[in-house]
Amino acid sequence: MQHTRKEQLEALNRILDTLDILRVKCPWDAKQTNESLRPNTIEEVYELAQALLDEDDNGIKKELGDVLLHVLFYAKIGSEKDSFDIADVADALNEKLIFRHPHVFGTTHVDNAEQVTQNWEQLKLREKDGNRSVLAGVPAALPALVKAFRIQEKAANVGFDWEKPEQVWQKVQEETAEVSEAITSRCKEDIEAEFGDLMFSVVNAARLYGINPENALERTNRKFISRFNYVEEKAKASGRKLKDMQLSEMDELWNEAKRSLTPDK
């Protein structure tokens, strides 16, 4: 269903009015702070991410509403402190989008999405008069896999990157060999460090081939869960528990799952 701009604005006005009432009359809403909302916000974003992975339009709509509530709630708290309100948030976002899209709102020419991304990172640095570190914009609280990807993207956008994607495989092989050496030394700290280097290089390889490693790993996670559940269900159907089965028997069921389930499962 496509609503008119007037209907969209009216809907936003209604939720703003509702939030104003809840902030005064609901004991739970009235006591919330930025700090108390933060864990819930993180949870809501992950729930939205799950709905997106599931390609569940109804779920996406619901979870977007939950995320929007948090955005509006933080703006409400900001207005109560006379610091900012939702209009300031929207205006700042609009100004940023216009500034970072000179190829749309200005005279800059780009040929592809990659050049847009490179310009975006350069413009972000200009917003801080060039005094901001290239990697300063990567949130410290990001999950390590996502953080590695964003670090590499930002470094690449200022020219710190491989000339050709295939060159990264030498680095992956080098890091794999160093993991083996560390395992031989039996020093847990060294092994952990080398595994980190190996994973970082694999994330880099994924990026160079246009693959988001978070999406790729989650796809494999879901595939593994589906196949493992198949093995477990087949074992239960035969009256057995997995812990009582031989590995060869579980491998046979695993291969059966690979043949029976769709490639993405």
Side-chain angles (χ1 to χ4, degrees):
M1 178 185 295
Q2 180 66 47
H3 292 89
T4 65
R5 179 59 58 86
K6 181 173 182 266
E7 290 172 330
Q8 292 171 357
L9 293 174
E10 287 173 347
L12 288 171
N13 275 328
R14 284 194 294 274
I15 187 60
L16 286 170
D17 289 342
T18 299
L19 184 56
D20 285 345
I21 294 169
L22 290 174
R23 187 66 170 162
V24 173
K25 295 187 176 182
C26 173
W28 187 90
D29 289 279
K31 74 174 186 178
Q32 296 310 307
T33 64
N34 288 338
E35 292 74 21
S36 68
L37 285 172
R38 181 178 176 274
N40 292 336
T41 304
I42 295 171
E43 181 179 342
E44 296 297 353
V45 171
Y46 274 110
E47 289 179 358
L48 171 60
Q50 184 63 55
L52 291 167
L53 282 172
D54 293 339
E55 297 183 355
D56 176 7
D57 285 344
N58 286 329
I60 293 170
K61 178 179 70 175
K62 174 184 175 295
E63 300 304 339
L64 280 173
D66 292 341
V67 172
L68 176 61
L69 172 59
H70 282 250
V71 172
L72 298 177
F73 216 137
Y74 290 120
K76 176 67 176 173
I77 293 171
S79 70
E80 291 168 353
K81 296 190 295 185
D82 200 26
S83 178
F84 63 89
D85 63 14
I86 192 62
D88 296 310
V89 173
D91 284 341
L93 175 58
N94 189 55
E95 290 173 8
K96 179 168 67 176
L97 288 175
I98 292 172
F99 177 75
R100 294 189 186 175
H101 290 81
H103 54 287
V104 176
F105 300 103
T107 58
T108 301
H109 175 76
V110 295
D111 294 317
N112 51 52
E114 182 180 352
Q115 290 181 4
V116 173
T117 301
Q118 292 172 347
N119 287 343
W120 181 278
E121 295 296 340
Q122 293 294 331
L123 290 166
K124 285 172 71 174
L125 290 175
R126 279 176 51 192
E127 286 173 348
K128 297 293 182 179
D129 298 323
N131 293 322
R132 187 183 188 188
S133 167
V134 171
L135 302 181
V138 180
L142 277 180
L145 182 64
V146 179
K147 186 189 293 185
F149 185 66
R150 289 296 292 131
I151 287 171
Q152 293 166 6
E153 275 190 324
K154 286 182 173 291
N157 284 331
V158 294
F160 191 76
D161 202 4
W162 300 95
E163 292 182 0
K164 298 178 181 178
E166 54 268 25
Q167 292 175 319
V168 75
W169 294 113
Q170 182 178 346
K171 185 64 174 176
V172 172
Q173 292 168 2
E174 175 187 318
E175 298 297 351
T176 302
E178 291 181 3
V179 168
S180 296
E181 292 177 10
I183 290 173
T184 301
S185 73
R186 297 186 179 183
C187 174
K188 187 174 181 180
E189 185 174 326
D190 289 346
I191 295 171
E192 182 182 84
E194 296 304 339
F195 262 113
D197 290 346
L198 174 58
M199 287 187 285
F200 193 85
S201 66
V202 170
V203 169
N204 216 357
R207 177 188 62 81
L208 287 165
Y209 285 92
I211 300 299
N212 185 302
E214 175 71 18
N215 293 343
L217 182 58
E218 179 55 21
R219 182 174 181 174
T220 296
N221 288 340
R222 291 157 70 90
K223 181 169 59 179
F224 182 93
I225 290 170
S226 178
R227 291 177 180 176
F228 190 85
N229 286 344
Y230 180 97
V231 171
E232 190 173 30
E233 288 167 7
K234 286 291 185 178
K236 286 181 180 179
S238 66
R240 305 182 66 187
K241 294 181 179 179
L242 290 180
K243 65 179 181 179
D244 298 325
M245 296 178 68
Q246 297 293 323
L247 180 59
S248 59
E249 295 176 294
M250 287 189 280
D251 279 342
E252 184 176 341
L253 288 175
W254 181 269
N255 290 328
E256 184 180 314
K258 290 172 66 176
R259 294 190 297 269
S260 301
L261 299 174
T262 58
D264 286 336
K265 294 183 179 181

